[in-house]
Amino acid sequence: MPDERADHILQGLWRETILLVIGSGWLLFIMTQPAFHSFFIAENFEYLGLYRTRGDDFWRALLSPTNRIFFRPVFYTFSLPWYFILPLEPWAYHLRNFAFSIINLLLLHRVLVRLVASRRARILALLFFALSKIHLTTIGYLNIFDAIVTLMLLLSTILFFQRYIVHWRKLDYILGLLFCFLSVFSKDYGLVVVFVVGALVFSYGVEFGKWRTQAAWWVLRLSPLVVMVFLYLGLRYMVVDSPPSFDPIYSPQLSFNVTIHKLVILTSTLGNLSLAPGGITGASGLGAWFTVTLWGGTTRLSWGDGLLCVCLIALLVVTMVRGRRAGRTLFFPLVMMTVYFTPTLLTRNLQMYYHYEALAAMAIMLGLCFERIDNRLLNVWSVAIVIIGINGAISNYTSVYGWQFVAGKTQEARMPIVERYRGQTIESITFLTSERPLWQFALGNEAYPLLPELMSLPKLKINYISHREMPTRQTLTNAANLLLDIDDGFADSNTQQLTTTAFEDDSSHTPLAGNITAHPNPVTAGNSPGTTIITWSTRNVSSSQVYVSESGDPEKLFAQSIAERDGSAEATWISKGKTYEFRLYEGTEHKKLIGTVKVRWSGE
C-alpha cells in the first residue's frame, strides 16, 4: 500500500531542496563564469541549419537526420524554439544552459531525497555533482544543451518511477512513461534509459519473498518501454538507415586505445583532474601546484594530478567497500553509469561532456554509500569535495578548451564581417584561408548557418578556398559576392593588387598535408613559465600526433588527435631562454612529418 507517512516526510524536505539548489547553484555560477564570456561557434546553429535546409519546414526537419548520421528529434524540438525566442547574443544562450543546469540540480536532489535518508550524505552527493568542471563545457559550449536535456529527461524519468513505486499513482506512471519516451527519442543510445528503469524497479520495487508475483505485475507495466525502443529503432532506420560505417569518429567500433583514454577522462571528470593529453580535460588545478612544489619545476605531465587521482581512486574503493551494506540498491546507479558510459566507448569523440550522466550516477551511488560509512570517512569526503571544488575552479579559470579557442576565433570575425556587412545585399562570402578546417568550425557553412543568422541574411552562402584556388575564383567576386582574406585580417580581396599578389606568391601557399600554429607566439609572460595554445589540422588523415623538442632535445609526445582531423592543446611550461619546436606527424606511427612551428618565450 502507498506510504502516506513517507510522502508527508518527503514533502517536508522541499525546504532543504530549495536551499541546497540555491546554494549549489550559486557555487555553480561562480565556478562557470568563464563560460559566459565565450562567443558562438558554427556548431551552435546545427538545429537551425537543419530547419533552414529543409525549407523552414518543422516536421520535415524533425524527421530528417542530424549531421547525416544521427536521429535526434527530441533535441531538435527542444533546441529550435530558442533561436526565435532569445536574442542572438551568446549570453542569452549561456543563461539558458545555466537555468536548465539548475533544474538538473533540483531533480537530482529530489531523486536523492527518495533514496538517501541522511541529510549530510545528500548534501555531499549533490555538491560532488555541482562542483564538477564538466559544467563549464555544458554551459559554455552552447550546443551541449543536448547533454543537459538528456540528463533532465533521465532524472525526470527516475523521479516519477520512484514516486510510482512508492505511491502507485496513475499520474506518476503516465509522467514516467512520457519522460522515458522523450529520453528514448533524444539520441541514438537514449534507449538505454529502459535499463535504468528496470534496475530501479529491481532495486526498489520488487521484494525477494514476493518476486514472482511482483515481477509479473511489473513486466506488464514496463512493456510500453519495449514498444518505445522498437518504435525508435524503426523510425531511425527509416530516416538514417543503419549505423554509419563511413564516419571516422562515430562509426561504431571498439578500440583498446580509445577505451583507456575514456576511462582516464571519466576519472578526470569525477575529480576535476587533468589527466588526458591534448587539453581535453582542461588545465590542471592544484595538481600543477603539487608538481611545482614537490618536484621543484614545471613538467608537461602533472604528477600532482596523478597523485590526486591515486588518492581519489583509493577513497572511492574504500567508500564502495564500506558502503556495500546498501545492498542491491547500489545496483540501480551502477547500471545507470554503465549503460550511459559504455556506448561512448564505440566512438572516438573524447570530450568530457559524454560523461555527464555517468557523473550524476556516481553522485547517486556515493549518496547511498555516504549514509552507511562512519563519520571519519565522511569527514575525509567533506575535505575531498572541497579539494575537488577548488581544483575545478582553478581549472575553469585557467583552461582554454578547444571550443573556447574556436569561439575566440569566431568573435574575431564579429566586427570585420558581422557588424560591417549586416543587412547589406550580399549573396555569398568566400573566405581565403590556409586553415580551412578551423574556420569552417568557427564560421560555419550551409549546415551551420552562424554568419547568415548573425548578419540577418538567411540565404547567404559561405565558401572557403585556399590561396592556390584564389586566381580561379577572383573573377567571380563583386559587391554581392565577397572574397575576404582571413589570413590578412579579413581584408577585402576584390582588388587588382591583391589578385597580382596572389599569383606571384601562390607557391608560398601550396596546401600542405597538415597545419600547426601557436598562439600567442612569442609567449609574453611577466614571469616564466608562460602558456601558448597549439592548434593543428590535417587535410587527408583522421589521426595525428604532435611532438615537441625543447631546445634541440629529443622529441616527446605532446598531444594527439584520435580519429579527428584537428585539435588544440595548452603548453603551460614555455620557459625563459628556451625554444620549443612542435612537430605535427601524420597518423600515430611517428613517421611522416607534415607541419612544424617554433615557439619562444618573451618577458616583455
Side-chain angles (χ1 to χ4, degrees):
M1 292 296 292
D3 190 341
E4 299 296 339
R5 181 174 174 273
D7 189 45
H8 177 73
I9 293 173
L10 292 174
Q11 290 296 329
L13 290 174
W14 267 105
R15 183 171 180 271
E16 176 186 310
T17 297
I18 293 171
L19 291 176
L20 275 179
V21 170
I22 291 174
S24 58
W26 179 247
L27 289 174
L28 178 63
F29 181 74
I30 293 173
M31 288 190 63
T32 59
Q33 271 298 293
F36 290 85
H37 302 295
S38 295
F39 198 65
F40 291 120
I41 63 174
E43 196 177 4
N44 302 154
F45 292 79
E46 179 177 29
Y47 295 111
L48 184 57
L50 183 63
Y51 175 73
R52 296 296 191 207
T53 56
R54 299 305 187 275
D56 292 0
D57 187 326
F58 175 86
W59 296 106
R60 184 182 169 202
L62 180 71
L63 297 175
S64 297
T66 303
N67 198 23
R68 299 181 299 119
I69 57 176
F70 303 120
F71 181 48
R72 298 173 170 175
V74 168
F75 286 166
Y76 166 78
T77 303
F78 267 85
S79 298
L80 185 65
W82 297 106
Y83 297 110
F84 305 100
I85 296 172
L86 299 178
L88 275 178
E89 294 291 340
W91 61 263
Y93 291 83
H94 291 309
L95 282 177
R96 176 202 64 183
N97 287 18
F98 175 75
F100 277 83
S101 298
I102 296 298
I103 292 174
N104 282 340
L105 290 177
L106 186 147
L107 290 170
L108 178 58
H109 185 262
R110 295 311 296 175
V111 168
L112 288 169
V113 159
R114 292 180 171 274
L115 300 179
V116 181
S118 166
R119 174 175 294 177
R120 186 180 181 188
R122 291 193 297 266
I123 293 173
L124 291 177
L126 186 68
L127 288 176
F128 175 81
F129 176 78
L131 295 177
S132 174
K133 66 180 180 182
I134 199 172
H135 299 290
L136 179 75
T137 297
T138 57
I139 292 172
Y141 193 176
L142 291 174
N143 51 297
I144 307 306
F145 181 57
D146 288 356
I148 299 174
V149 170
T150 298
L151 184 59
M152 182 184 71
L153 296 175
L154 173 60
L155 291 175
S156 297
T157 302
I158 294 169
L159 179 60
F160 283 106
F161 271 105
Q162 280 180 317
R163 291 164 59 94
Y164 182 61
I165 289 171
V166 175
H167 307 296
W168 303 353
R169 287 194 288 250
K170 187 175 181 179
L171 179 60
D172 290 329
Y173 175 66
I174 293 173
L175 290 174
L177 290 179
L178 172 62
F179 285 112
C180 185
F181 176 84
L182 294 175
S183 294
V184 169
F185 279 77
S186 61
K187 58 183 177 182
D188 296 76
Y189 62 91
L191 52 83
V192 299
V193 68
V194 302
F195 296 105
V196 178
V197 175
L200 180 67
V201 169
F202 171 78
S203 298
Y204 294 94
V206 177
E207 300 177 38
F208 279 132
K210 306 175 183 178
W211 71 270
R212 290 180 182 275
T213 304
Q214 292 179 348
W217 189 85
W218 275 110
V219 165
L220 180 63
R221 278 151 185 79
L222 297 183
S223 57
L225 277 62
V226 179
V227 176
M228 295 175 194
V229 170
F230 281 103
L231 180 61
Y232 173 79
L233 292 175
L235 281 173
R236 190 195 186 284
Y237 183 80
M238 292 172 59
V239 172
V240 187
D241 206 343
S242 56
S245 58
F246 58 86
D247 192 277
I249 298 176
Y250 295 106
S251 296
Q253 65 181 60
L254 195 60
S255 163
F256 178 78
N257 189 29
V258 172
T259 299
I260 296 300
H261 271 80
K262 293 202 173 186
L263 287 171
V264 170
I265 295 167
L266 176 61
T267 306
S268 300
T269 304
L270 297 179
N272 284 347
L273 304 173
S274 183
L275 300 171
I280 295 169
T281 52
S284 180
L286 291 173
W289 180 83
F290 283 129
T291 299
V292 174
T293 302
L294 299 180
W295 279 270
T298 59
T299 176
R300 285 180 290 280
L301 176 62
S302 174
W303 293 104
D305 275 318
L307 177 63
L308 290 173
C309 179
V310 170
C311 293
L312 175 64
I313 292 174
L315 185 57
L316 285 170
V317 171
V318 172
T319 302
M320 296 302 172
V321 170
R322 296 192 180 180
R324 69 185 184 279
R325 287 175 296 173
R328 62 172 173 154
T329 59
L330 292 175
F331 180 70
F332 154 61
L334 182 62
V335 168
M336 178 177 166
M337 174 177 284
T338 301
V339 298
Y340 275 94
F341 174 69
T342 302
T344 68
L345 300 179
L346 300 176
T347 71
R348 272 70 64 202
N349 192 324
L350 303 177
Q351 300 300 323
M352 275 202 309
Y353 57 79
Y354 277 94
H355 309 308
Y356 199 44
E357 301 91 346
L359 177 68
M362 178 58 76
I364 295 172
M365 185 179 296
L366 287 176
L368 291 168
C369 292
F370 285 163
E371 68 174 347
R372 291 168 175 83
I373 61 178
D374 57 57
N375 284 331
R376 286 181 301 176
L377 189 54
L378 209 54
N379 290 336
V380 173
W381 265 107
S382 299
V383 174
I385 288 175
V386 170
I387 293 174
I388 288 172
I390 295 173
N391 221 30
I394 295 173
S395 179
N396 285 356
Y397 279 84
T398 56
S399 294
V400 180
Y401 289 92
W403 56 267
Q404 288 176 300
F405 176 79
V406 175
K409 291 294 185 181
T410 308
Q411 194 160 18
E412 290 178 15
R414 185 170 192 172
M415 290 302 294
I417 302 177
V418 176
E419 302 300 333
R420 180 179 178 183
Y421 297 105
R422 177 185 283 143
Q424 296 187 23
T425 306
I426 300 174
E427 297 175 4
S428 71
I429 300 178
T430 299
F431 290 108
L432 180 65
T433 177
S434 59
E435 297 181 295
R436 185 182 300 186
L438 170 63
W439 287 105
Q440 283 180 322
F441 193 28
L443 301 179
N445 49 32
E446 184 181 22
Y448 304 102
L450 178 144
L451 287 178
E453 297 301 326
L454 293 183
M455 297 174 66
S456 302
L457 296 169
K459 296 184 178 181
L460 179 68
K461 302 297 182 184
I462 304 297
N463 304 297
Y464 301 86
I465 61 171
S466 66
H467 291 266
R468 192 175 185 83
E469 297 172 282
M470 181 178 174
T472 61
R473 296 290 189 95
Q474 193 81 32
T475 57
L476 301 178
T477 63
N478 50 49
N481 296 277
L482 304 179
L483 177 62
L484 304 181
D485 189 346
I486 293 178
D487 299 342
D488 191 24
F490 299 97
D492 190 335
S493 298
N494 299 328
T495 65
Q496 183 62 37
Q497 181 179 359
L498 285 176
T499 302
T500 303
T501 301
F503 275 103
E504 293 175 349
D505 295 341
D506 182 45
S507 61
S508 66
H509 293 292
T510 302
L512 300 174
N515 183 66
I516 183 169
T517 59
H519 181 78
N521 188 19
V523 176
T524 302
N527 295 300
S528 180
T531 298
T532 187
I533 307 295
I534 305 299
T535 303
W536 65 93
S537 62
T538 58
R539 295 180 182 275
N540 303 315
V541 293
S542 58
S543 294
S544 58
Q545 292 182 323
V546 178
Y547 281 76
V548 60
S549 172
E550 183 178 295
S551 299
D553 290 343
E555 293 179 331
K556 295 182 180 180
L557 179 63
F558 167 67
Q560 59 185 346
S561 294
I562 304 298
E564 294 183 351
R565 288 190 172 89
D566 51 58
S568 66
E570 280 187 307
T572 60
W573 25 261
I574 306 302
S575 300
K576 183 178 181 180
K578 295 183 178 180
T579 301
Y580 302 83
E581 183 172 2
F582 293 86
R583 299 166 184 167
L584 177 64
Y585 287 88
E586 178 179 298
T588 57
E589 297 179 353
H590 193 203
K591 291 182 179 179
K592 184 176 180 180
L593 181 68
I594 56 177
T596 65
V597 62
K598 289 185 178 181
V599 176
R600 63 182 179 85
W601 180 90
S602 172
E604 299 178 0

